[in-house]
Amino acid sequence: MSPSSTTQPTTQQWIERARRALPGGVSSPVRSFRSVGEEPLLAAKARGAHLFDLEGRRYVDYVQSFGALFGGHADPRIVEAIQDAAPLGTSFGLTSRGEIELAEAVLSALPWCERVRFVSSGTEAVMTAIRLARGITGRALVLRFDGCYHGHSDSMLVKAGSGAHAIAGASSAGVPDSLVADTVIAPLGDVEAVEQVVKTRGRELAAILVEGVPANSGLLVQDEGFVTALRELASRCGALLVLDEVITGFRVAPGGASERFDVTPDVVTLGKILGGGMPIGAVAGPARFLDRLAPLGPVYQAGTLSGNPVAMAAGLASVGMALDPIERARLDANAHGLEAALAPVCARAPFSLKPLFFGSLFWLWPGDGAPPRRPDSIGAIEKLRFQRLHARLRAHRVLLAPSLYEVGFVSTAHDAAVAAETATALQGALDDLAADESLRAAG
Ligand code: PMP
């Protein structure tokens, strides 16, 4: 054999091949690492709290498939469920037992729900929930919040315009103005702004849409009463309250944010943990709403791979863990342990760095002021600090998502040893940055 035929391509060669074959070298933009100015990290394998790159370097991973993994990577229960299901058929295009069982498990966690419709992503779940709300109410307008993310369907790629919050603009090329006109954007936490929309345009409003805990522009924890206020305002004008629990579902409580805040939405969207790392999404709610979907009702929705048997099997294992009190206690203990390990390191940081936690969701906020509640608190200095910190943490073998707008995820595999490993790496990263004057607070 010639030497060249045995030589493995280098990481750089893989990156170049990726850039030739995939737009930006990726299948989803944040993975390009452009927002932190680094070369992308290519994953080879992962287990529990750790991920390995193509050269065998081991990282503590807080990306965790952006929150899809309750038990960490390649949890043996999920792997076994997939191995059992796959030989029986990878897709039928017919109803199978797994989707009935997973629907029943979802309903057991969400007692206010009576039906579940499975789809293949969180994006599809939100798209379906919005269509359902519009079909039920016969209205077009959707109110959502600046800083929340609800997937990449056309009508969700609308951002707050400058000036009055009620004027929106497309946040992506290719989204027509006609869709923008059907969206109103309000600032997070601003109940008065929502009241104003309800007062002036309440009769046009099909849905008020909000994340259970806003976690897509950093972790923007709101007052406990915020979602309750939205519940009341939606009811007042006959709009549906759609709670997007793609991240928070099964994570912040067995019943997600609706349980945690004791609020009953009209419809909930789910994803991530629901599929244990397999492609999935779902819409759930009372029969009087969900039965308006085809084939019973006039709101059309369908999918070749919806209720996919392999995804359902993985989902059953994943949801089973998330509903198990012992596993939940482990998750909470791990999150507390990480917070306790990081807090003293952050307190000694050469710039302001606060570890913000909401259960197993966390965000290292590199800002001088109070923890932000709106995305506009994130400025240039915070982005610069995060960029430098991300690169140094990577060098010390801890992987945060490559954007300040993404949060970190703790799993049941992130135990005390992993927390200690993370704290040591963070200390090393901050020591590396100690002499960097550009990261200090201005003035
Ligand atoms: N809603 C929320 C709250 C999300 O965080 C996401 C994705 N991170 C989505 C919807 C879209 O889910 P997906 O990426 O599976 O389409």
Side-chain angles (χ1 to χ4, degrees):
M1 234 189 271
S2 73
S4 61
S5 65
T6 56
T7 314
Q8 294 295 321
T10 63
T11 295
Q12 201 50 45
Q13 286 168 331
W14 278 114
I15 290 172
E16 282 156 21
R17 282 171 65 177
R19 287 184 177 141
R20 279 196 295 272
L22 308 165
V26 294
S27 299
S28 193
V30 76
R31 299 177 200 173
S32 69
F33 283 59
R34 284 166 75 103
S35 82
V36 286
E38 296 171 34
E39 285 291 281
L41 193 153
L42 269 56
K45 62 176 183 176
R47 183 73 192 252
H50 293 98
L51 181 140
F52 296 80
D53 69 13
L54 298 190
E55 284 155 54
R57 286 183 286 250
R58 189 181 91 140
Y59 302 84
V60 177
D61 176 36
Y62 290 104
V63 182
Q64 292 291 316
S65 184
F66 291 95
L69 308 172
F70 185 92
H73 290 283
D75 183 280
R77 289 159 287 192
I78 292 184
V79 172
E80 196 183 311
I82 291 170
Q83 283 169 339
D84 287 348
L88 304 179
T90 54
S91 184
F92 302 123
L94 294 168
T95 301
S96 62
R97 282 175 290 190
E99 67 196 287
I100 302 167
E101 289 176 308
L102 185 56
E104 288 168 351
V106 171
L107 297 178
S108 77
L110 298 168
W112 59 275
C113 293
E114 296 166 305
R115 304 275 194 273
V116 185
R117 170 61 55 95
F118 288 113
V119 293
S120 299
S121 67
T123 293
E124 262 190 274
V126 174
M127 188 180 82
T128 301
I130 295 300
R131 188 179 305 135
L132 189 57
R134 287 175 167 155
I136 288 167
T137 59
R139 304 167 176 181
L141 199 63
V142 171
L143 185 148
R144 44 164 297 219
F145 294 90
D146 189 24
C148 286
Y149 177 71
H150 302 287
H152 65 94
S153 66
D154 282 353
S155 68
M156 291 297 110
L157 291 180
V158 171
K159 64 174 190 290
S162 54
H165 59 256
I167 300 168
S171 64
S172 163
V175 174
D177 289 345
S178 53
L179 282 175
V180 174
D182 288 329
T183 309
V184 187
I185 313 257
L188 269 167
D190 192 340
V191 176
E192 270 173 36
V194 182
E195 258 169 359
Q196 199 53 35
V197 174
V198 166
K199 203 183 278 177
T200 53
R201 304 190 68 183
R203 287 202 191 121
E204 298 166 60
L205 208 56
I208 297 178
L209 170 65
V210 70
E211 283 183 64
V213 177
N216 276 291
S217 297
L219 191 58
L220 304 178
V221 178
Q222 304 297 308
D223 285 340
E224 283 264 328
F226 180 54
V227 183
T228 313
L230 299 182
R231 166 70 285 174
E232 203 273 315
L233 287 165
S235 300
R236 196 188 292 174
C237 67
L240 266 60
L241 177 65
V242 178
L243 199 60
D244 184 349
E245 300 236 44
V246 167
I247 284 183
T248 49
F250 307 106
R251 181 173 287 281
V252 302
S258 67
E259 177 184 328
R260 177 83 183 233
F261 301 142
D262 193 19
V263 175
T264 306
D266 294 304
V267 171
V268 65
T269 52
L270 300 165
K272 306 219 183 220
I273 288 176
L274 176 66
M278 295 294 286
I280 204 166
V283 183
R288 70 179 189 286
F289 294 140
L290 268 283
D291 286 350
R292 303 297 292 275
L293 287 171
L296 296 180
V299 180
Y300 190 71
Q301 190 282 326
T304 301
L305 298 178
S306 297
N308 174 271
V310 184
M312 297 297 114
L316 255 181
S318 178
V319 169
M321 280 185 243
L323 300 186
D324 178 343
I326 295 170
E327 297 289 339
R328 293 212 68 85
R330 186 171 293 142
L331 185 72
D332 290 344
N334 287 354
H336 287 136
L338 183 64
E339 187 173 7
L342 298 187
V345 181
C346 289
R348 294 190 302 267
F351 50 86
S352 179
L353 185 66
K354 299 187 185 78
L356 307 178
F357 278 73
F358 189 94
S360 59
L361 297 168
F362 76 96
W363 193 39
L364 293 182
W365 164 238
D368 297 302
R373 289 167 173 232
R374 293 190 190 154
D376 50 17
S377 320
I378 301 170
I381 183 73
E382 287 83 12
K383 286 183 188 162
L384 180 69
R385 287 169 177 168
F386 179 76
Q387 199 175 39
R388 299 276 161 81
L389 182 63
H390 186 277
R392 293 320 305 158
L393 273 173
R394 178 176 176 175
H396 287 271
R397 305 285 187 261
V398 167
L399 183 63
L400 294 181
S403 161
L404 178 54
Y405 290 90
E406 306 288 347
V407 297
F409 296 92
V410 179
S411 79
T412 56
H414 289 76
D415 60 12
V418 172
E421 194 182 339
T422 308
T424 305
L426 180 61
Q427 185 63 64
L430 292 171
D431 288 346
D432 296 346
L433 297 173
D436 191 336
E437 292 295 329
S438 66
L439 303 183
R440 299 194 192 275

